[in-house]
Amino acid sequence: MTDLYNINKDLKVTVPSDVEQVFLVAKYDILKHIRSKRLLAIGIIIGLVLVLVTFLGTLNNADPHNAARFVGNYAGFANTMIIIGVTLFAGDAIVSEFQNRTGYLLFPNPVKKSSLYAGKFLASVGIMSLVIAVYYLVAMVIGLAYTGNFTELAIYSMLLAILYGAAATGLAFLISSVLKTSTAALVLTFFMLFMILSLITAVGSIAGFKPDGELTFAGGTISYIMQSPYPTDTVTNVPGAGFVLHSYVPDVGLSIVVMLVWLIVTAVLGYVAFSRREMVS
């Protein structure tokens, strides 16, 4: 009994700090993404897009030495690729812990819910940023090989794409923290980014108001930034329709602020919803 007491007395269990817990959760979540079929799926999609855009870009390119115009063809598909990636990597990141009961293994451990949430969020943003960076790097290499020139606008577009991906991930985490099933969270995340928010922009073009605070409208800077000079708003009279059509272009500086606000607000609201949620049978 004396030996056993000494063993127990000398036994020291060191709990990682909150920051260490965040990076541990992020590390294992990234490993989960790397081993999943979802990363393979987005890899196949990126490969097909790169091949298709390269074929169309070389086929219809009237200015073979304009690198910004050539790489801009790839940037035009970045928004759709981000929506698909965010849906796959963040759409059910929270709700799956409740639906699959994997939270029973996580929640009893001495890990704060804030560390779990931050770690998962960091992992989703990290894997999404990696996918975006690979896509743009391949596009820039192809553009350099085809046109013989490099444009710094591609770097700006990539940074805007990463910021838009992070903001969209915040929205996906908010949806995932509120809904009860993975399927519902995945579907709502995809259609929220692909269609529902974009409807506001469509209504604005007819009603005559500029949707500066709308997330997907701000994300349009990803492709517009590749044009030089940067485009401006235009108004077109529709013959016989009795109304004018407004084509609004997002301001780059304002769009960066809008995406940061969406990132912070949705991430905080998602954590509040997650922290109040209980694991029930």
Side-chain angles (χ1 to χ4, degrees):
M1 290 293 292
T2 302
D3 292 340
L4 183 59
Y5 171 78
N6 289 335
I7 290 174
N8 288 335
K9 186 175 66 175
D10 294 337
L11 183 61
K12 295 181 179 178
V13 178
T14 302
V15 178
S17 66
D18 293 346
V19 175
E20 290 173 328
Q21 290 176 5
V22 169
F23 284 102
L24 278 173
V25 173
K27 172 186 173 183
Y28 287 106
D29 237 46
I30 287 176
L31 289 175
K32 182 186 73 176
H33 288 311
I34 291 175
R35 294 165 181 165
S36 70
K37 293 181 180 178
R38 297 185 181 189
L39 185 61
L40 176 63
I42 195 70
I44 293 173
I45 292 172
I46 287 176
L48 292 175
V49 169
L50 286 170
V51 171
L52 178 64
V53 175
T54 302
F55 175 74
L56 295 177
T58 53
L59 187 67
N60 301 314
N61 192 359
D63 189 0
H65 298 294
N66 190 331
R69 183 173 180 178
F70 189 81
V71 180
N73 294 327
Y74 300 92
F77 284 85
N79 290 66
T80 302
M81 189 191 66
I82 291 171
I83 292 173
I84 296 173
V86 166
T87 301
L88 292 176
F89 297 129
D92 62 346
I94 300 299
V95 68
S96 62
E97 301 292 351
F98 294 90
Q99 180 177 322
N100 301 329
R101 299 293 188 262
T102 50
Y104 280 124
L105 303 175
L106 294 174
F107 299 158
N109 288 305
V111 181
K112 293 182 178 178
K113 274 191 169 182
S114 57
S115 298
L116 280 173
Y117 187 88
K120 284 181 166 292
F121 191 87
L122 189 61
S124 295
V125 172
I127 198 73
M128 195 64 235
S129 300
L130 178 64
V131 168
I132 293 170
V134 169
Y135 176 75
Y136 269 90
L137 286 175
V138 174
M140 284 186 275
V141 169
I142 296 174
L144 180 62
Y146 181 75
T147 66
N149 296 309
F150 174 79
T151 173
E152 69 274 9
L153 294 178
I155 302 294
Y156 301 152
S157 179
M158 182 181 68
L159 294 176
L160 288 169
I162 291 174
L163 178 57
Y164 177 61
T169 298
L171 177 61
F173 265 61
L174 173 58
I175 294 172
S176 184
S177 298
V178 173
L179 295 186
K180 294 184 177 180
T181 65
S182 294
T183 302
L186 291 169
V187 171
L188 183 57
T189 297
F190 180 80
F191 281 102
M192 181 67 77
L193 293 168
F194 191 73
M195 185 180 295
I196 298 174
L197 289 178
S198 298
L199 282 177
I200 299 175
T201 302
V203 172
S205 67
I206 298 175
F209 68 88
K210 192 171 183 177
D212 281 320
E214 197 264 294
L215 177 59
T216 59
F217 179 70
T221 52
I222 295 172
S223 55
Y224 284 123
I225 197 71
M226 298 301 300
Q227 300 181 33
S228 182
Y230 193 80
T232 57
D233 299 342
T234 58
V235 179
T236 305
N237 287 310
V238 182
F243 64 88
V244 295
L245 190 63
H246 300 262
S247 296
Y248 292 115
V249 178
D251 178 78
V252 175
L254 180 58
S255 295
I256 291 174
V257 175
V258 168
M259 288 189 279
L260 285 172
V261 170
W262 271 84
L263 167 61
I264 296 171
V265 171
T266 54
V268 170
L269 290 177
Y271 171 67
V272 172
F274 171 66
S275 62
R276 294 182 176 181
R277 195 165 177 177
E278 299 292 338
M279 178 67 73
V280 295
S281 301

